[in-house]
């Protein structure tokens, strides 16, 4: 992914935050879509914004883009109001739904978008980065759903933006296309670009993000690096070979399959001591951290159990 020199400079300077929400609430009638959100996205950072359907992800991204005005609180882009054209000039976005003029070719559409920016990316580079080379002269009306999605993603990078805001960017893409997109975004980020994305694919956040922010019912409930989010969830997975499922009242979840017992426990050391004390016959013990997906699910599940989340 070709980037401009200004991206690297911004990432290393004492620039204002790329985006900031301070005490932001957005209501639609009697429904609060987001409630008192505080969030900062720094230059050169890659932030994954995760949460279940209806959590407030799209509302938040639309507030940052200036497509919605907050009911309360403050929103800024590069230290300015997101409703100022100058603030939005250096950003790009890919919404969940995109439509194109049907009679224009893929390369023509990319050129049309690139022509609106002072230092656009090379069209050939965009075609290559997003796997569109064989589609360069195909009309938009002849593209499949996945191909249209790839074109929309390429358009987001056509103007060499300082920051991209991606709302569910890989929905509808096959595994190969998703990997191509991940590579392009990772390259853009490593060259100083700022990324803010919402996604339902936990592995996408794990592959691309420096920081993960979890939102539920319009509130930020956890944030940190991928490793920090995992570390805050004390559950570990133990796997060992045994002929029967042991009697372990303290396990979170347990199963026996093909001679392997799998147990999720909040205290793996205590569980191992219990197995030894009870003289359980086991071997080939493995202790593994849970995945980011399991950590996120645990945050939402435990929060609701404790009444912290509705």
């Amino acid at each position: 992914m070709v980037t401009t020199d200004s991206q690297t400079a911004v990432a290393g300077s004492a620039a204002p935050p790329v985006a900031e929400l301070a005490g932001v609430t957005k209501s639609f009638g009697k429904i609060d879509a987001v409630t008192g959100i505080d969030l900062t996205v720094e230059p050169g950072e890659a932030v994954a914004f995760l949460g279940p359907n209806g959590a407030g992800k799209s509302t938040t991204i639309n507030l940052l883009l200036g497509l919605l005005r907050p009911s309360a609180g403050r929103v800024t882009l590069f230290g300015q109001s997101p409703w100022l054209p100058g603030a939005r000039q250096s950003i790009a976005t890919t919404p969940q739904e995109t439509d194109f003029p049907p009679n224009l070719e893929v390369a023509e559409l990319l050129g049309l978008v690139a022509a609106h920016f002072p230092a656009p990316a090379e069209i050939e580079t965009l075609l290559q980065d997003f796997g569109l080379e064989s589609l360069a002269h195909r009309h938009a009306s002849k593209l499949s759903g996945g191909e249209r999605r790839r074109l929309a993603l390429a358009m987001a990078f056509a103007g060499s933006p300082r920051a991209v805001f991606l709302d569910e960017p890989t929905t509808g893409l096959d595994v190969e296309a998703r990997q191509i997109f991940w590579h392009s975004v990772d390259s853009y980020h490593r060259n100083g670009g700022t990324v803010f994305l919402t996604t339902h694919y936990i592995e996408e956040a794990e592959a691309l993000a420096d920081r993960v922010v979890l939102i539920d019912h319009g509130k930020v409930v956890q944030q940190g690096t991928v490793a920090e989010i995992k570390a805050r969830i004390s559950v570990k997975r133990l796997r060992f070979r045994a002929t029967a499922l042991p009697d372990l009242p303290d396990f979170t979840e347990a199963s026996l399959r093909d001679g392997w017992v799998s147990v999720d426990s909040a205290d793996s050391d205590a569980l191992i001591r219990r197995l030894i004390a009870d003289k359980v016959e086991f071997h080939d013990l493995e202790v593994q951290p849970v995945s980011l997906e399991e950590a996120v699910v645990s945050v939402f599940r435990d929060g609701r159990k404790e009444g912290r989340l509705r």
Side-chain angles (χ1 to χ4, degrees), residues 213-244:
V213 178
L214 308 183
I215 182 174
D216 194 35
H217 284 85
K219 297 180 180 179
V220 172
V221 296
Q222 288 271 8
Q223 60 179 305
T225 65
V226 171
E228 286 170 345
I229 292 295
K230 286 183 177 181
R232 289 172 192 170
I233 311 303
S234 58
V235 175
K236 295 286 178 63
R237 176 156 301 145
L238 283 74
R239 294 181 74 245
F240 53 87
R241 289 191 176 276
T243 57

Side-chain angles (χ1 to χ4, degrees), residues 17 19-26 33-42 45 47-49 55-56 60 63-64 70 72-76 196 211-224:
E20 187 172 21
L21 299 99
V24 171
T25 295
K26 178 60 182 178
V34 297
T35 308
I37 283 184
D38 294 302
L39 179 64
T40 301
V41 180
E42 297 292 347
E45 193 176 22
V47 177
F49 200 48
T60 300
L63 286 164
L64 288 171
R74 177 172 55 87
V75 183
T76 61
F196 184 89
R211 180 160 57 100
V212 175
V213 178
L214 308 183
I215 182 174
D216 194 35
H217 284 85
K219 297 180 180 179
V220 172
V221 296
Q222 288 271 8
Q223 60 179 305

Side-chain angles (χ1 to χ4, degrees), residues 71-145:
S71 303
R74 177 172 55 87
V75 183
T76 61
L77 274 178
F78 301 106
Q80 305 178 67
S81 166
W83 301 283
L84 295 176
R88 297 198 299 266
Q89 189 175 19
S90 298
I91 67 170
T93 184
T94 297
Q96 292 186 26
E97 300 292 335
T98 308
D99 203 4
F100 309 112
N103 295 323
L104 289 183
E105 297 176 354
V106 167
E108 290 175 328
L109 285 165
L110 290 174
L112 179 64
V113 173
H116 288 79
F117 296 90
E122 294 287 340
I123 303 305
E124 289 301 322
T125 300
L126 291 170
L127 292 170
Q128 180 178 357
D129 284 348
F130 291 91
L132 296 169
E133 291 172 293
S134 64
L135 305 174
H137 300 294
R138 184 174 297 181
H139 288 111
S141 60
K142 302 298 183 181
L143 298 176
S144 69

Side-chain angles (χ1 to χ4, degrees), residues 115-309:
H116 288 79
F117 296 90
E122 294 287 340
I123 303 305
E124 289 301 322
T125 300
L126 291 170
L127 292 170
Q128 180 178 357
D129 284 348
F130 291 91
L132 296 169
E133 291 172 293
S134 64
L135 305 174
H137 300 294
R138 184 174 297 181
H139 288 111
S141 60
K142 302 298 183 181
L143 298 176
S144 69
E147 291 166 347
R148 292 170 66 84
R149 193 63 183 160
R150 275 189 281 157
L151 174 57
L153 292 168
M155 283 181 167
F157 292 87
S160 299
R162 289 164 58 187
V164 291
F165 294 79
L166 308 172
D167 196 4
E168 304 289 348
T170 58
T171 298
L173 295 184
D174 58 29
V175 173
E176 182 180 4
R178 189 174 295 133
Q179 292 287 343
I180 291 172
F181 168 74
W182 288 1
H183 175 76
S184 297
V185 172
D186 182 62
S187 176
Y188 167 81
H189 175 226
R190 284 189 284 106
N191 281 281
T194 303
V195 179
F196 184 89
L197 77 151
T198 71
T199 180
H200 281 294
Y201 298 111
I202 304 299
E203 67 273 21
E204 192 159 87
E206 197 157 12
L208 299 177
D210 301 317
R211 180 160 57 100
V212 175
V213 178
L214 308 183
I215 182 174
D216 194 35
H217 284 85
K219 297 180 180 179
V220 172
V221 296
Q222 288 271 8
Q223 60 179 305
T225 65
V226 171
E228 286 170 345
I229 292 295
K230 286 183 177 181
R232 289 172 192 170
I233 311 303
S234 58
V235 175
K236 295 286 178 63
R237 176 156 301 145
L238 283 74
R239 294 181 74 245
F240 53 87
R241 289 191 176 276
T243 57
L245 194 65
D247 181 18
L248 299 170
D250 296 329
F251 64 70
T252 303
E253 295 179 10
S255 63
L256 174 63
R257 183 175 181 179
D258 297 330
W260 282 95
V261 174
S262 180
V263 184
D264 289 352
S265 174
D267 190 340
S268 57
D269 292 340
L271 179 56
I272 293 169
R273 289 193 294 268
R274 172 72 177 268
L275 291 171
I276 295 172
D278 288 354
K279 296 182 168 41
V280 174
E281 293 289 336
F282 71 93
H283 57 94
D284 296 335
L285 175 65
E286 301 174 358
V287 181
Q288 305 167 336
V290 299
S291 68
L292 177 60
E293 179 174 11
E294 292 159 322
V296 170
V297 169
S298 178
V299 167
F300 292 132
R301 182 189 63 226
D302 295 346
R304 290 191 177 98
K305 284 181 180 178
E306 297 168 11
R308 292 183 283 107
L309 306 177

